[in-house]
Amino acid sequence: MGCYDTLLSPQVASFAFGAHGMLIGGRWQSAQSSKTIDVFDPATGRKFTEVPAGDAADVDLAVRAARRAFADGPWATMPAAERGRLIWQLADRIEELVDEFAQLESLDNGKPVQQAKAVDVPEAVARFRYMAGWAGKINGETVGLSQRGEYHAYTLRRPIGVVGQIIPWNFPLVMAAYKLAPALAAGCTIILKPAEQTPMTALRLGHLMAEVGFPDGVLNIVTGYGETAGAALAAHGDVDKIAFTGSTEVGKAIARAATQNLKQVSLELGGKSPVIVFPDADLDRAIPGAAAAIFFNQGQTCTAGSRLFAHRTVYEKLVEGIHSEIGKMVMGPGLEAGTTLGPLISAEHLDRVNGYIEIGRREGATIVSGTLPRPRGGYFVNPTIIVGAAPDMRVSREEIFGPVLCVTAFDDDELDAIAMKANATEFGLAASLWTRDLSTAHRMAARIDAGTVWINTHNHFDPALAFGGMKQSGWGRESGFHAVELYSSVKAVLAPLN
């Protein structure tokens, strides 16, 4: 336990510091190997609990349980409206426990508890509620055929089956909702593998789903390392689909493993998102917007606006303004009131981010770091601006996944030239444009190679709006009906009428 335990409610402390098992077929159990994983508070670096270290044997048990629930259990015959009702009830319970989930997320991940309460928990609730509405609206269609004769032809949309879902540590609760909600609405059964660093809210969700009445085996949770439990899930021959959010490197490994039985794959991967500020931008919005784009969640966001392209006429004001925004931040443990910038997830990740800052310095860029008071212990790093970062520098090309912003000036280039600079990356997840000119905004939006383009905002999500990447940022679209499509398949039926 850490020195901030007194900031937790008794209910959260009891759950967080208690014994934990994996959920398989409605039972909470230890790993077959009896091995465990230590879980640490990023604000102190201290262990606060442990969870089972599941591996291939546990994944196999979970897949068997999910298959039984899909093929033979009450989930298979449950009316769609009933599925939707259960998903909605789950959303209601999460909302009722907003303080509990926010504290768990802050303890586990390090993020400011007020952020978790204002953003993460409401976003998860919204995901479940939105997808609850889709459960009873998943339909096929009648088809008018092109050939002569009388036929009755139609399609059916059916759940894809047993799905494996692997979620990251940066938004544990939100990413669980992104994955679980559409899969449940479609009628699938699930094996969820949370990140080994942040299993708490996934385990709490497992308890809540049992409480509101989801049948045994619909959700199974295997805690474990990516290279063991995650790899076994991706390669398992009786898993019909794998959904992953995380790094591009791991996403490629999952795609290779999935070829063993040609299971369907959806991937939401890395990013190096451009933020482009034109000379006519409203700087009163663009400065805090660009700062939030990179420093929100300590920069540990796949859509983080890590590359800022500023027109030379506003360049200095932007850099000065963003540096001023850093000065307003309060760095500290996420559970402390007033904290706006928490720790990074781990000592390993802290070394990675600090290593990139040093790489930028060695490559010849200018480092402008914040000077926020840094708490003792924990995995804290000051927000950093790297100015004069050339496009070929590693800090400009590689995903840092921390509060590090690379800033580049541009002159009166044509839109195509600016778009080429923004597109000069292997990633294509998101981008934002800051301008008062609607023509510039929409012409530029069409040219940017990204799954999402925001205009005069950044990191604005909605359950109804498609989200996903281009290029090496992933496959498939989450949110909206696109997410339901990821967890369903279409069957064509044809009958001659003569």
Side-chain angles (χ1 to χ4, degrees), residues 127-159:
R127 294 276 154 183
F128 282 113
R129 284 194 176 137
Y130 177 83
M131 289 299 168
W134 271 116
K137 303 177 183 68
I138 303 173
N139 304 313
E141 60 182 0
T142 57
V143 180
L145 299 182
S146 59
Q147 61 187 358
R148 293 182 179 276
E150 290 187 280
Y151 299 90
H152 180 42
Y154 59 96
T155 61
L156 301 171
R157 185 173 288 276
R158 292 290 184 256

Side-chain angles (χ1 to χ4, degrees), residues 30-321:
S30 301
Q32 298 294 294
S33 67
S34 299
K35 295 179 180 179
T36 58
I37 298 172
D38 293 339
V39 183
F40 297 89
D41 174 3
T44 62
R46 298 176 184 173
K47 171 185 172 181
F48 68 86
T49 193
E50 58 188 32
V51 295
D55 56 24
D58 305 288
V59 167
D60 188 60
L61 289 176
V63 172
R64 291 171 184 267
R67 180 60 65 187
R68 287 193 299 271
F70 181 74
D72 304 320
W75 191 245
T77 57
M78 183 177 291
E82 179 67 8
R83 286 203 310 271
R85 185 185 65 82
L86 286 175
I87 299 168
W88 194 279
Q89 286 181 329
L90 176 62
D92 286 347
R93 287 295 288 137
I94 297 170
E95 188 172 54
E96 290 167 3
L97 300 174
V98 57
D99 291 318
E100 178 178 333
F101 272 99
Q103 288 182 28
L104 273 178
E105 202 77 327
S106 182
L107 172 67
D108 211 12
N109 167 275
K111 67 180 61 192
V113 69
Q114 291 305 315
Q115 175 197 310
K117 186 174 180 179
V119 178
D120 296 55
V121 181
E123 173 72 7
V125 170
R127 294 276 154 183
F128 282 113
R129 284 194 176 137
Y130 177 83
M131 289 299 168
W134 271 116
K137 303 177 183 68
I138 303 173
N139 304 313
E141 60 182 0
T142 57
V143 180
L145 299 182
S146 59
Q147 61 187 358
R148 293 182 179 276
E150 290 187 280
Y151 299 90
H152 180 42
Y154 59 96
T155 61
L156 301 171
R157 185 173 288 276
R158 292 290 184 256
I160 202 166
V162 173
V163 301
Q165 300 180 327
I166 303 173
I167 58 175
W169 46 257
N170 59 334
F171 291 93
L173 178 62
V174 172
M175 290 295 101
Y178 262 73
K179 298 287 188 286
L180 292 175
L184 293 170
C188 297
T189 56
I190 301 155
I191 305 93
L192 180 69
K193 210 291 287 183
E196 58 266 26
Q197 300 93 336
T198 54
M200 289 294 102
T201 48
L203 296 175
R204 188 69 184 96
L205 275 178
H207 287 280
L208 279 192
M209 287 182 65
E211 176 189 313
V212 302
F214 283 87
D216 292 347
V218 171
L219 174 65
N220 305 272
I221 304 173
V222 177
T223 53
Y225 294 105
E227 59 267 27
T228 51
L233 190 56
H236 200 288
D238 200 29
V239 171
D240 301 304
K241 176 190 166 54
I242 196 83
F244 170 76
T245 295
S247 72
T248 296
E249 179 184 5
V250 175
K252 290 178 180 179
I254 286 173
R256 288 191 294 269
T259 61
Q260 296 187 39
N261 72 330
L262 293 180
K263 61 172 63 68
Q264 293 196 27
V265 177
S266 56
L267 304 169
E268 197 263 282
L269 307 176
K272 195 71 174 176
S273 300
V275 175
I276 306 173
V277 182
F278 292 90
D280 66 332
D282 179 352
L283 295 188
D284 288 340
R285 294 181 64 184
I287 288 172
I294 181 61
F295 301 133
F296 172 67
N297 207 50
Q298 296 71 251
Q300 300 171 136
T301 307
C302 55
T303 55
S306 54
R307 294 184 297 144
L308 175 60
F309 296 90
H311 191 274
R312 200 168 299 277
T313 59
V314 296
Y315 178 87
E316 289 188 6
K317 288 183 180 179
L318 274 169
V319 173
E320 291 172 2

